[in-house]
Amino acid sequence: KGMVWILCAWLVTASSLQAQTAPAPLSEPVGRLLKAEGAVSYAQKAAYGAGIQDMVIGYGSEGQPVVGIATRSTKTYQEALSIVAVTPVEGSFKVAAAEIPDVSKFGGKSSSMAKDALEDITGKVFKNEAEARGLVDAVTGATQYYKAIYVSYALMASKVIEELKANPDWPRLPLDP
């Protein structure tokens, strides 16, 4: 009878550990951004922290980090998923993409303002994470929603840069073709 309890306790513990370590499936936008930057494998940390839901590092065919992607929910004109992709480029870091997949669901002027902010953020180059956090300084006098976009992307870009520099040893998975 004691062995049955031990076996049950072991099975419950093992299954809960497996549930904690199993990677979440990649969303379509994240998978698309990984492929766009030439990633062949990736590592993911779900529930990353600092308000970031997912942190994903994409690796090239030689095992080098080629892109870092962060996602988080941001309250701008409405609650929406925000995604940033950052690539290492010649000792600096470039925002390869800044997206809100549901931006078309924002109403009229809100949609165009959000698209303008995302377009402005995309292509920015930073030397390090501190420079990325300074992204928000460029929008003094902006509306609270416009500023929320910049604050969110500044946070995400800075954390992605930290992880790209650290090159974490998270378990890697092949990226489906």
Side-chain angles (χ1 to χ4, degrees):
K1 194 172 184 179
M3 287 301 284
V4 171
W5 283 110
I6 291 171
L7 180 60
C8 287
W10 181 82
L11 287 172
V12 168
T13 303
S15 65
S16 68
L17 286 174
Q18 184 178 12
Q20 290 173 5
T21 59
L26 292 175
S27 67
E28 183 280 325
V30 170
R32 176 179 44 78
L33 292 169
L34 285 167
K35 289 175 185 172
E37 297 304 328
V40 296
S41 64
Y42 70 95
Q44 178 181 24
K45 186 169 184 181
Y48 177 80
I52 295 174
Q53 293 166 320
D54 270 328
M55 179 71 69
V56 179
I57 307 294
Y59 297 91
S61 58
E62 296 177 18
Q64 77 286 10
V66 294
V67 64
I69 300 171
T71 66
R72 74 180 294 206
S73 183
T74 302
K75 177 76 169 141
T76 56
Y77 303 100
Q78 66 183 34
E79 192 80 20
L81 179 67
S82 300
I83 303 171
V84 70
V86 178
T87 56
V89 179
E90 299 174 10
S92 294
F93 300 90
K94 180 180 179 182
V95 176
E99 299 182 2
I100 297 175
D102 291 336
V103 73
S104 63
K105 295 179 183 175
F106 292 7
K109 189 175 178 183
S110 300
S111 177
S112 64
M113 288 180 74
K115 286 177 184 176
D116 288 347
L118 296 172
E119 187 176 304
D120 182 52
I121 293 165
T122 301
K124 296 271 190 222
V125 177
F126 306 108
K127 292 180 184 167
N128 55 41
E129 58 273 23
E131 237 183 58
R133 284 189 296 273
L135 176 65
V136 73
D137 296 339
V139 293
T140 53
T143 68
Q144 69 181 32
Y145 301 113
Y146 202 72
K147 192 171 182 177
I149 292 171
Y150 279 84
V151 167
S152 186
Y153 283 88
L155 169 73
M156 290 191 300
S158 69
K159 292 297 184 183
V160 168
I161 292 168
E162 284 179 18
E163 293 299 346
L164 285 171
K165 288 167 67 176
N167 194 10
D169 63 352
W170 303 336
R172 295 184 189 180
L173 299 168
L175 187 60
D176 294 331

